[in-house]
């Protein structure tokens, strides 16, 4: 049995087989994983907002998609993963309440997911699975042994993507 | 004027925010007491300033299921507010209101969800009316939206809202009840420029 490594909100961690990386209760945030199946090294970032350049106060790099994903990539390569073997999966980006669009955060879940897709394209890392949007929370686990991404939701059971 | 964020609040701002929390929560509890026909006692609310990214575990474990009621706020200030309860408190209130006996872990049906929305609506409206009369501003709430889900997922909404402007968030905890004490949590999330309006209407210059 490997270690279960917990990733908080605005946080990122790297693990290797047989570890499991987990984050609890993703709402509008995104949980993005990078995984190298040959080296069996994985990484998980739990970011809150899509873009650090839109804000003045942007010191916490794991809080934003752009800086968080780049930092996760830097760390996983440093840990021994190979860039061209990396694959990505994402989950989260829900709209927890059906808002009218008055609030500035109404569509943040969707924008968070979009930010991941764009940056992955730019970094040339294939996005091989996603479970995003809708209106419920997700707890996720990345198994560093095989890259399985387990998603658990309240009243909806669990699935592996 | 430099935009106000919760990253540089001093003691005086905290006192003001605490007082708004206090009066607002007091108002809300009075309405609630008349609704469930019970004389309720209330403890002084606790106002806690914390890192926005820690909100997910501020009330209970991150994957515990809670009830969140969300309203948008418009007119003289804009923003949103939330009222949160753990499941045992939510079940207790629903049972009192509807004369049912739901189990602590039962999912809510449509009727019960709409009763909870109404509870949230009344609590939020009385909270906002306290804020409104203190500041002499017109503050109107939207219809309430409800979610029953993992605490961290529901609290990601205010965490992101606060996270847009700074690193800190403000959580107000109230405790009220008679035979059984109920915990409820308020989060008021003004848009960036509305903080300054609230504070200056109270005669505080930034």
């Amino acid at each position: 049995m490997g270690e279960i490594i917990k990733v908080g909100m605005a946080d990122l961690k790297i693990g290797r087989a047989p570890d499991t990386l987990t984050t609890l209760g993703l709402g509008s945030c995104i949980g993005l994983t990078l995984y190298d199946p040959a080296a069996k090294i994985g990484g998980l970032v739990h970011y809150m907002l899509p873009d650090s350049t839109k804000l003045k106060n942007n010191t916490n790099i794991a809080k934003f998609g752009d800086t968080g994903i780049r930092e996760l990539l830097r760390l996983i390569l440093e840990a021994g993963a190979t860039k061209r073997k990396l694959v990505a999966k994402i989950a989260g980006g829900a709209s927890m309440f059906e808002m009218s669009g008055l609030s500035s955060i109404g569509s943040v879940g969707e924008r968070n997911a979009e930010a991941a897709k764009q940056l992955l394209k730019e970094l040339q890392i294939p996005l091989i699975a996603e479970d995003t949007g809708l209106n419920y929370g997700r707890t996720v686990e990345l198994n560093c042994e095989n890259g399985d991404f387990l998603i658990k939701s309240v009243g909806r059971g669990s699935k592996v993507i | 004027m430099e935009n106000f964020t919760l990253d540089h609040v001093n003691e005086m701002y905290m006192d003001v925010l605490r007082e708004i929390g206090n009066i607002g929560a007091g108002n809300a509890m009075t309405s609630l007491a008349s609704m469930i026909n019970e004389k309720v006692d209330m403890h002084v609310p606790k106002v806690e300033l914390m890192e926005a990214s820690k909100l997910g575990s501020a009330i209970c474990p991150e994957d515990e299921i809670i009830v969140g009621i969300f309203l948008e706020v418009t007119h003289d200030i804009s923003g949103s507010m939330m009222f949160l309860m753990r499941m045992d408190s939510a079940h207790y209130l629903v049972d009192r209101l509807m004369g049912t006996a739901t189990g602590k872990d039962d999912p809510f049906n449509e009727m019960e969800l709409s009763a909870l929305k109404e509870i949230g609506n009344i609590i939020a409206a009385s909270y906002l009316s306290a804020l409104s009369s203190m500041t002499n501003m017109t503050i109107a709430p939207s219809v309430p939206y409800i979610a029953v889900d993992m605490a961290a997922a529901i609290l990601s909404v205010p965490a992101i809202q606060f996270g847009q402007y700074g690193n800190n968030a403000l959580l107000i905890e109230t405790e009220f009840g008679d035979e059984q004490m109920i915990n409820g949590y308020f989060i008021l999330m003004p848009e960036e420029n509305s903080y300054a309006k609230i504070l200056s209407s109270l005669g505080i210059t930034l």
Side-chain angles (χ1 to χ4, degrees):
Chain A
M1 265 306 271
E3 231 184 299
I4 292 176
I5 302 169
K6 212 182 136 187
V7 179
M9 191 182 281
D11 189 14
L12 56 87
K13 299 266 169 60
I14 302 289
R16 49 183 82 232
D19 295 341
T20 298
L21 289 159
T22 185
T23 196
L24 302 177
L26 282 168
S28 301
C29 302
I30 290 281
L32 177 143
T33 64
L34 294 177
Y35 183 66
D36 176 341
K40 294 183 189 281
I41 301 175
L44 172 61
V45 58
H46 176 167
Y47 66 84
M48 299 161 69
L49 288 155
D51 189 357
S52 67
T53 60
K54 298 252 159 60
L55 299 168
K56 279 168 283 174
N57 193 332
N58 53 11
T59 44
N60 180 359
I61 48 179
K63 186 167 142 183
F64 304 96
D66 57 345
T67 49
I69 296 169
R70 284 180 202 279
E71 178 65 5
L72 190 72
L73 175 61
R74 192 185 70 77
L75 289 177
I76 199 168
L77 294 179
E78 199 177 83
T82 308
K83 169 86 196 299
R84 62 185 167 75
K85 292 196 175 136
L86 287 177
V87 289
K89 295 181 182 179
I90 59 172
S95 301
M96 297 304 296
F97 299 93
E98 24 164 324
M99 298 175 212
S100 67
L102 284 173
S103 323
S104 49
I105 55 162
S107 61
V108 72
E110 204 177 305
R111 285 187 284 126
N112 270 337
E114 199 44 49
K117 289 176 195 172
Q118 271 191 13
L119 185 57
L120 287 171
K121 198 175 278 177
E122 199 181 306
L123 296 170
Q124 297 178 311
I125 299 171
L127 175 65
I128 58 167
E130 70 167 299
D131 180 37
T132 58
L134 302 174
N135 63 347
Y136 54 86
R138 296 165 172 93
T139 285
V140 298
E141 287 176 16
L142 175 71
N143 182 342
C144 294
E145 189 63 54
N146 55 15
D148 278 356
F149 199 29
L150 174 69
I151 297 165
K152 295 187 273 191
S153 306
V154 175
R156 284 177 180 80
S158 53
K159 60 178 160 183
V160 173
I161 63 167
Chain B
M1 181 169 39
E2 182 71 18
N3 274 324
F4 179 83
T5 78
L6 289 172
D7 293 352
H8 10 85
V9 280
N10 64 25
E11 261 313 299
M12 188 165 64
Y13 303 152
M14 273 303 276
D15 281 347
V16 169
L17 294 169
R18 192 174 287 130
E19 193 52 22
I20 293 173
N22 216 334
I23 295 177
N27 241 15
M29 292 314 111
T30 313
S31 324
L32 195 65
S34 66
M35 197 163 65
I36 63 173
N37 238 332
E38 188 172 327
K39 192 168 79 49
V40 297
D41 277 337
M42 192 185 119
H43 294 173
V44 177
K46 272 188 277 186
V47 179
E48 218 180 322
L49 186 69
M50 65 178 71
E51 262 181 66
S53 58
K54 300 274 187 296
L55 264 181
S57 53
I59 292 178
C60 59
E62 288 150 307
D63 52 353
E64 187 180 313
I65 299 169
I66 62 166
V67 175
I69 292 149
F70 178 93
L71 300 102
E72 285 149 322
V73 172
T74 52
H75 269 286
D76 290 349
I77 62 165
S78 55
S80 48
M81 74 168 297
M82 284 185 85
F83 180 69
L84 305 135
M85 279 178 291
R86 294 174 79 160
M87 286 300 265
D88 51 352
S89 296
H91 274 289
Y92 179 74
L93 283 178
V94 165
D95 287 349
R96 288 298 307 235
L97 197 66
M98 305 190 51
T100 48
T102 52
K104 189 178 136 341
D105 296 312
D106 290 352
F108 292 108
N109 65 27
E110 281 300 314
M111 273 299 278
E112 290 156 357
L113 282 177
S114 108
L116 275 172
K117 261 192 210 175
E118 195 45 36
I119 291 169
N121 203 12
I122 289 172
I123 289 177
S126 33
Y127 184 95
L128 290 175
S129 94
L131 181 60
S132 170
S133 59
M134 272 173 88
T135 55
N136 262 326
M137 292 193 292
T138 310
I139 305 170
S142 71
V143 294
Y145 306 103
I146 193 166
V148 182
D149 210 317
M150 288 179 271
I154 288 180
L155 285 158
S156 75
V157 174
I160 289 171
Q161 178 72 21
F162 285 113
Q164 292 183 100
Y165 311 128
N167 287 322
N168 288 333
L170 200 69
L171 180 72
I172 299 165
E173 180 182 355
T174 56
E175 207 184 340
F176 60 94
D178 184 11
E179 296 148 34
Q180 187 185 341
M181 292 307 270
I182 292 167
N183 286 74
Y185 302 81
F186 288 98
I187 301 177
L188 184 66
M189 300 167 275
E191 297 283 344
E192 198 169 18
N193 54 10
S194 294
Y195 269 114
K197 281 195 196 162
I198 294 173
L199 291 171
S200 67
S201 72
L202 293 167
I204 295 168
T205 45
L206 297 177

